[in-house]
């Protein structure tokens, strides 16, 4: 073993060979030093496991996945001292395939493991850019310095020179900047410099013909994480869009992917790896190299955080996904590295309980300005629009393109002016003319856009309750997500249009607890103040008792059910966010997952919708849109309802949540799932490609 390797092994005596936790911070890895460790005994056991015909793979995986990297290096030294043989060479000889790659990866010091991954990524024909991006975007300064030295020691080559020889353009330049390991580490942030960087990034991208990539490289490649997080927050406030949207719009190819990975790691390195792991296992086939690389490299760093974010973000545990996607000793080894299953009825392991809350609190709608995709048209002329629409519908045939272009590019207030002008000019009802000229999905969409929002929602509620059967999902979606002002307007519109109160209609068409929930929501009496910590703790206790995870129930069930409904249906959004946080602190459970497990039917669906709306309303609608278009067939009614109702409220935010969660834009999903004039109208409302 070289002097550098010995030095590196020595440095692993503390967790920051891989990244030392800040003073007072808890260790977040899943692999710990094995108690009562004896390197000679382990070396002998491994030798026995590989002696003779065949090998005892169970013994090998049990030892190697239960020891820290520092202890594995001691085993290697003991093995050589006892038997005069190289342990890694023997393991390579005895094992095969993915299991071999995993075990051998665990046996290397972290920096050497990274060096081997990069060497493989740039060797031979083609380059594995995803591997380069993952490693170089996520490592700390110290890890980067160790990687460069390990590469030099292992291959007698200069890593920077090899990267330059195998990549090109701005992608190459950013990789070289990251490779220096010179990111600022000062936690003291200058507000003036934050503002300057925001302005520089804005001018380098959005305000410039073309893009000044050098500014993006300099700022994202050198500033401290704390500084950049503030830059990202200010960038959103200044420009109205997250930095990720600007990167997608201004950059392209591998350079764009690298910069997005850097931003993700600045925001949350564990979340970046949770997403990488999910993508490695979703769909047909498994990207085993990615799975192995991450499980090996993060097992002594932040695997607990990755697990918690994974389960919260994807509603399944990392453990269960590995279990279902792999097999044999390879699976057993990965599960040992994972360190535990988090699918126990939504339970959090206590140390990481707050990670989940912080994750969705950061993206909560209250912290982000809501923006629609449809805005009032400049130089609006209702007279000209009314004439153009009349012309589009006059004579043989219909000019659908003109109808779509006008109606999808005017605000609802402007559409109402067009309706009035149309009647004044031609003595005709624009809605009636549109109904006679267009049909099907396009008609539902265009006519929906022409209605005032409250009247549109009232009509959707009426349709959900008329005829045989009730569309409970539509009732829940509308009543669980509208503001007090919107609910009151819906009540007035319903009474005006159908000569019956909304409450009476709901009472006639629903029953039991579900009816009580809907009627409570339909009063539009949700509190609008901030949070009350003492009240939030009481409310969290009620939730814990009704969901049957409290230690000491304090009331009869019927009374608790009423109180729980009152909490979810009448408390303000800021207060409910605090209730959910206190619930986690009190129980180590997530309220949404617990409701899904403990409740059933429409009551469960209504409560889950309320919780999701409180957590992140745009994400709630992004999920609904995704489900309306996935699988065989399209739920055009849900798709139309959301696109119409959110186009002037938060459709831009919904688009961002959609691409972040599903790795494709809403524009792409609509394009792949609809057709004809309906497609054109939906894309116009969508407002652009992300």
């Amino acid at each position: 073993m070289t002097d550098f390797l010995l030095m590196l092994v020595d440095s692993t005596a503390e967790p920051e060979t891989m990244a030392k936790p800040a003073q007072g911070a808890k260790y977040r890895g899943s692999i710990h030093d094995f108690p009562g460790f004896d390197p000679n005994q382990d070396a002998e056991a491994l030798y026995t496991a590989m002696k003779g015909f065949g090998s005892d793979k169970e013994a090998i995986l049990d030892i190697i996945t239960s020891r820290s990297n520092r202890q594995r290096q001691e085993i290697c030294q003991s093995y050589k001292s006892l038997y005069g043989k190289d342990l890694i060479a023997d393991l390579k000889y005895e094992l095969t395939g993915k299991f071999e790659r995993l075990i051998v990866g665990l046996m290397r010091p972290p920096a050497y493991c990274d060096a081997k991954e990069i060497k493989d990524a740039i060797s031979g024909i083609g380059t594995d850019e995803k591997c380069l991006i993952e490693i170089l975007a996520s490592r700390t300064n110290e890890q980067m310095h160790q990687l460069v030295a390990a590469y030099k020691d292992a291959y007698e080559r200069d890593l920077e020179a090899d990267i330059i020889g195998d990549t090109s353009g701005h992608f190459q330049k950013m990789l070289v900047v990251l490779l220096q390991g010179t990111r600022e580490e000062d936690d003291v942030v200058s507000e003036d410099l934050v503002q300057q960087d925001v302005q520089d990034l804005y001018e380098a991208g959005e305000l410039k013909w073309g893009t000044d990539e050098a500014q993006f490289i300099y700022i994202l490649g050198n500033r401290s994480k704390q500084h950049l997080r503030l830059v990202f927050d200010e960038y959103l406030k200044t420009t109205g869009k997250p930095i990720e949207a600007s990167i997608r719009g201004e950059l392209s190819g591998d350079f764009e992917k690298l910069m997005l990975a850097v931003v993700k790691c600045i925001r949350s390195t564990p979340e970046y790896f949770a997403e990488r792991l999910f993508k490695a296992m979703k769909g047909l086939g498994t990207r085993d190299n990615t799975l192995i690389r991450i499980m090996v490299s993060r097992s002594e760093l932040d695997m607990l955080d990755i697990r918690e974010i994974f389960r919260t973000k994807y509603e399944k545990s990392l453990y269960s996904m590995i279990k279902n996607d792999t097999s044999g000793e390879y699976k057993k080894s990965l599960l040992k590295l994972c360190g535990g299953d988090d699918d126990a009825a939504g339970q959090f392991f206590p140390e990481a309980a707050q990670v989940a809350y912080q994750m969705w609190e950061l993206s909560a709608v209250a912290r982000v300005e809501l923006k629609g995709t449809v805005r009032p048209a400049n130089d609006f002329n209702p007279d000209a629009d009314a004439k153009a629409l009349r012309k589009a519908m006059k004579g043989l045939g219909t000019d659908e393109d003109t109808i779509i272009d006008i109606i999808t590019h005017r605000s609802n207030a402007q559409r109402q002016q067009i309706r009035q002008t149309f009647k004044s000019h031609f003595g005709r009802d624009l809605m009636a003319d549109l109904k006679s000229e267009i049909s099907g999905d396009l008609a539902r969409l265009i006519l929906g856009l022409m209605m005032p929002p409250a009247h549109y929602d009232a009509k959707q509620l009426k349709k959900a309750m008329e005829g045989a059967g009730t569309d409970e999902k539509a009732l829940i979606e509308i009543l669980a997500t509208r503001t007090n002002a919107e609910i009151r307007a819906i009540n007035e519109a319903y009474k005006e249009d159908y000569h019956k109160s909304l409450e009476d209609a709901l009472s006639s068409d629903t029953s039991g607890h579900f009816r009580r929930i809907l009627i409570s929501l339909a009063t539009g009496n949700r509190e609008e103040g901030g949070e009350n910590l003492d009240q939030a703790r009481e409310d969290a206790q009620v939730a814990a008792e009704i969901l049957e995870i409290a230690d000491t129930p304090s009331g009869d069930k019927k009374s608790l059910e009423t109180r729980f409904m009152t909490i979810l249906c009448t408390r303000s959004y800021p207060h409910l966010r605090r209730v959910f946080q206190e619930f986690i602190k009190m129980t180590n459970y997530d309220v949404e997952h617990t409701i899904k497990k403990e409740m059933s039917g429409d009551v469960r669906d209504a409560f889950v919708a309320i919780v999701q709306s409180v957590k992140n309303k745009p994400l709630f609608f992004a999920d609904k849109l995704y489900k309306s278009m996935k699988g065989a067939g399209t739920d055009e009614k849900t798709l139309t309802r959301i696109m119409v109702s959110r186009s002037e409220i938060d459709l831009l935010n919904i688009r961002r949540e959609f691409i972040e969660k599903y790795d494709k834009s809403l524009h792409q999903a609509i394009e792949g799932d609809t057709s004809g004039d309906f497609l054109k109208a939906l894309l116009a409302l969508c407002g652009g490609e992300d």
Side-chain angles (χ1 to χ4, degrees), residues 398-621:
T398 305
D399 182 356
E400 286 90 354
D401 285 346
T402 295
I403 294 171
I404 291 168
D405 185 57
I406 292 173
I407 292 176
T408 60
H409 291 97
R410 305 295 183 267
S411 68
N412 194 274
Q414 290 175 334
R415 293 183 206 123
Q416 303 317 310
Q417 290 182 56
I418 296 170
R419 283 180 70 177
Q420 187 60 52
T421 303
F422 195 91
K423 183 165 278 189
S424 299
H425 277 349
F426 307 112
R428 301 171 67 91
D429 179 35
L430 176 55
M431 294 285 281
D433 281 7
L434 287 168
K435 276 183 186 176
S436 69
E437 293 292 329
I438 55 178
S439 60
D441 295 326
L442 178 65
R444 275 191 289 272
L445 181 66
I446 294 296
L447 292 169
L449 289 167
M450 290 305 302
M451 296 178 73
H455 289 265
Y456 178 73
D457 277 346
K459 183 174 183 181
Q460 297 304 303
L461 291 168
K462 180 75 164 62
K463 281 187 168 184
M465 294 184 281
E466 67 186 6
T470 303
D471 184 351
E472 291 87 358
K473 288 189 167 118
L475 297 179
I476 291 168
E477 177 200 304
I478 295 170
L479 295 176
T481 60
R482 301 310 192 247
T483 65
N484 285 345
E486 289 167 341
I487 291 285
R488 288 167 194 149
I490 291 168
N491 274 289
E492 290 176 16
Y494 200 95
K495 184 80 170 174
E496 179 185 335
D497 294 345
Y498 306 112
H499 311 292
K500 182 179 184 180
S501 75
L502 176 58
E503 182 178 334
D504 287 346
L506 291 168
S507 295
S508 301
D509 209 65
T510 59
S511 60
H513 289 302
F514 182 55
R515 175 171 62 195
R516 291 172 60 204
I517 294 165
L518 294 181
I519 289 173
S520 179
L521 292 171
T523 61
N525 284 325
R526 186 176 291 283
E527 296 163 2
E528 295 184 339
E531 63 182 57
N532 178 317
L533 183 56
D534 290 338
Q535 183 65 59
R537 286 172 179 154
E538 285 183 31
D539 290 346
Q541 179 64 32
V542 170
E545 290 177 15
I546 194 64
L547 295 172
E548 299 183 347
I549 53 175
D551 293 332
T552 53
S554 61
D556 67 277
K557 185 144 188 180
K558 195 165 184 181
S559 168
L560 286 170
E561 285 170 352
T562 301
R563 287 175 67 191
F564 186 59
M565 182 192 75
T566 301
I567 290 164
L568 287 185
C569 294
T570 67
R571 300 285 195 254
S572 71
Y573 274 29
H575 180 83
L576 283 173
R577 289 188 190 110
R578 175 60 65 183
V579 171
F580 300 160
Q581 185 176 23
E582 293 303 316
F583 185 89
I584 289 173
K585 287 178 183 174
M586 187 180 294
T587 67
N588 289 328
Y589 283 72
D590 171 64
V591 70
E592 180 185 338
H593 288 274
T594 311
I595 289 170
K596 285 177 180 175
K597 177 182 181 291
E598 297 296 335
M599 296 184 168
S600 61
D602 297 328
V603 170
R604 175 199 60 203
D605 294 343
F607 283 151
V608 166
I610 294 168
V611 171
Q612 290 175 339
S613 184
V614 169
K615 285 181 175 182
N616 186 339
K617 195 178 289 185
L619 179 57
F620 168 79
F621 283 114

Side-chain angles (χ1 to χ4, degrees), residues 251-266:
L251 311 180
S252 61
D254 292 325
F255 182 45
E256 174 197 345
K257 292 171 187 170
L258 173 59
M259 298 305 260
L260 288 172
V262 169
V263 170
K264 284 178 181 177
C265 288
I266 295 295

